């Protein structure tokens, strides 16, 4: 039995936009304490989730793995 793939985990959105496309917008989510550390203290924080959203169809896709998030620092 396989688990269904979340739309955020797919490589493209329904209209075919990929991570490298100009129609893809990167969305970075931080924890509450990460936002406080960045806003008040100025410390950089590690994101808890990074994914892309298509500017055309507004669909989330292309979530980055933990390894990809670490390499992007």
């Amino acid at each position: 039995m396989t688990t269904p793939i979340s739309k955020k985990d797919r490589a493209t959105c329904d209209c075919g936009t990929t991570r490298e496309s100009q129609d893809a917008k990167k969305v970075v989510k931080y924890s509450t304490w990460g936002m406080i550390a960045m806003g008040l203290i100025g410390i950089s924080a590690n994101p808890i989730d990074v994914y892309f959203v298509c500017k055309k169809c507004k669909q989330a896709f292309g979530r980055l793995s933990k390894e990809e998030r670490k390499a992007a620092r």
Side-chain angles (χ1 to χ4, degrees), residues 35-72:
M35 291 296 291
I36 290 170
M38 288 189 316
L40 296 177
I41 304 170
I43 300 172
S44 63
N46 294 331
I48 58 172
D49 196 12
V50 179
Y51 58 93
F52 296 86
V53 174
C54 178
K55 292 179 183 177
K56 292 179 186 175
C57 66
K58 311 290 189 236
Q59 186 177 51
F61 68 95
R63 180 180 293 173
L64 296 182
S65 67
K66 285 184 181 182
E67 293 80 25
E68 289 174 315
R69 290 193 305 251
K70 285 181 183 179

Side-chain angles (χ1 to χ4, degrees), residues 4-46:
I5 296 175
S6 168
K7 287 195 176 198
K8 285 185 183 178
D9 293 328
R10 296 185 331 177
T12 64
C13 68
D14 287 340
C15 67
T17 301
T18 63
R19 291 181 186 181
E20 293 81 24
S21 175
Q22 292 203 354
D23 290 325
K25 179 175 77 170
K26 188 182 209 179
V27 177
V28 182
K29 286 188 160 187
Y30 295 96
S31 68
T32 302
W33 288 110
M35 291 296 291
I36 290 170
M38 288 189 316
L40 296 177
I41 304 170
I43 300 172
S44 63
N46 294 331

